[in-house]
Amino acid sequence: MDVKIEPGWKSILEEEFDKPYFAELVGFIKSEIRGGKQVYPPGKLIFNAFEKTPFDRVKVVILGQDPYHGEGQAHGLSFSVPRGIRQPPSLVNIFKEIKDDLGVDSPQHGNLESWAAQGVFLLNAMLTVRRGEPASHSRAGWAYFTDTVIRKISEHKSGVVFLLWGNFARQKKALIDTGRHFVLESAHPSPLSAASFFGCKHFSETNRILKQQGVSEIDWKIKD
């Protein structure tokens, strides 16, 4: 199957696109749309995380669960929303932790593309969702695909910092060679668990790890 995705990722994932589960996944999404379901993000943004962070530039991974399910929120980057869309509670808490950790003021918008451009791969485990129905595509087959994505990063790169927030993300640690990479774990930034997320200092720790390897640090400040 010819999937339009950043060339570096396409080379790494080409075999996945020809597997039966992936054809079934594409068929499922098409059937949802034909049946009148609103699917987020728009088709051209499903692989946006891969476009914004080419494979050869990945140095940090922030793993989310599935896209935001409100109108206009999802644009293919975990935890991120387009400019002009109100910041969701989890993202508000991420910015609060960055301010406490690094002294960086929270931005007026929630678009994280500037992180992606620096090598922060903002991956959701599920790349689509039905409008108003969180986790509605959790059994569609995306997990097979994104688990492979994590394995490929683990196998083909070294020194990547994985930020695993919440129990769902932390389960993915089994896919990562911790002898080659760095894994930072904490509670999820959701208001339900943010009390345990605050104080994790993952942003300064990520930069410490990158600097130690001689890799350029991430500028976590989002420009308004």
Side-chain angles (χ1 to χ4, degrees):
M1 182 178 295
D2 185 24
V3 175
K4 293 181 180 178
I5 194 170
E6 189 274 327
W9 282 109
K10 188 164 189 174
S11 175
I12 290 291
L13 297 169
E14 201 159 18
E15 292 181 359
E16 267 340 87
F17 299 135
D18 291 327
K19 290 182 178 178
Y21 87 84
F22 196 86
E24 292 172 7
L25 170 59
V26 171
F28 169 78
I29 295 170
K30 288 181 177 179
S31 70
E32 289 272 273
I33 296 170
R34 282 197 304 269
K37 303 293 185 184
Q38 187 101 37
V39 174
Y40 297 142
K44 65 181 180 180
L45 295 178
I46 290 175
F47 294 107
N48 197 26
F50 300 81
E51 298 298 330
K52 298 298 184 186
T53 311
F55 182 79
D56 63 359
R57 298 193 62 185
V58 174
K59 52 188 179 183
V60 179
V61 177
I62 299 180
L63 183 66
Q65 189 161 349
D66 66 342
Y68 295 121
H69 54 85
E71 185 175 1
Q73 290 182 308
H75 67 141
L77 306 176
S78 64
F79 294 102
S80 180
V81 291
R83 286 176 178 264
I85 298 296
R86 184 178 179 180
Q87 296 174 11
S90 292
L91 185 55
V92 169
N93 288 334
I94 289 170
F95 289 146
K96 284 181 180 178
E97 173 58 22
I98 291 174
K99 181 174 176 59
D100 181 66
D101 187 11
L102 299 172
V104 173
D105 288 335
S106 299
Q108 298 300 308
H109 66 88
N111 190 321
L112 305 181
E113 289 182 355
S114 66
W115 292 0
Q118 297 175 73
V120 181
F121 184 43
L122 298 165
L123 176 68
N124 278 315
M126 272 63 74
L127 299 188
T128 58
V129 70
R130 196 180 300 142
R131 177 179 179 172
E133 298 182 43
S136 50
H137 287 184
S138 61
R139 297 185 179 182
W142 281 124
Y144 296 114
F145 177 73
T146 55
D147 280 1
T148 298
V149 170
I150 294 169
R151 287 193 192 96
K152 293 292 187 181
I153 295 172
S154 180
E155 292 169 7
H156 292 273
K157 301 185 76 70
S158 61
V160 173
V161 183
F162 289 83
L163 305 185
L164 306 182
W165 300 333
N167 291 334
F168 177 85
R170 294 168 86 165
Q171 292 172 5
K172 303 298 183 179
K173 184 177 180 178
L175 305 172
I176 303 163
D177 181 350
T178 55
R180 292 166 55 89
H181 302 281
F182 302 87
V183 176
L184 303 181
E185 303 176 61
S186 79
H188 195 278
S190 159
L192 298 174
S193 54
S196 298
F197 172 76
F198 294 136
C200 70
K201 299 193 179 299
H202 279 184
F203 304 96
S204 60
E205 179 64 8
T206 293
N207 278 350
R208 186 193 68 77
I209 292 169
L210 294 176
K211 186 176 181 180
Q212 190 176 50
Q213 299 180 88
V215 177
S216 59
E217 301 171 49
I218 305 298
D219 179 2
W220 296 108
K221 180 178 175 60
I222 305 289
K223 295 177 176 61
D224 290 327

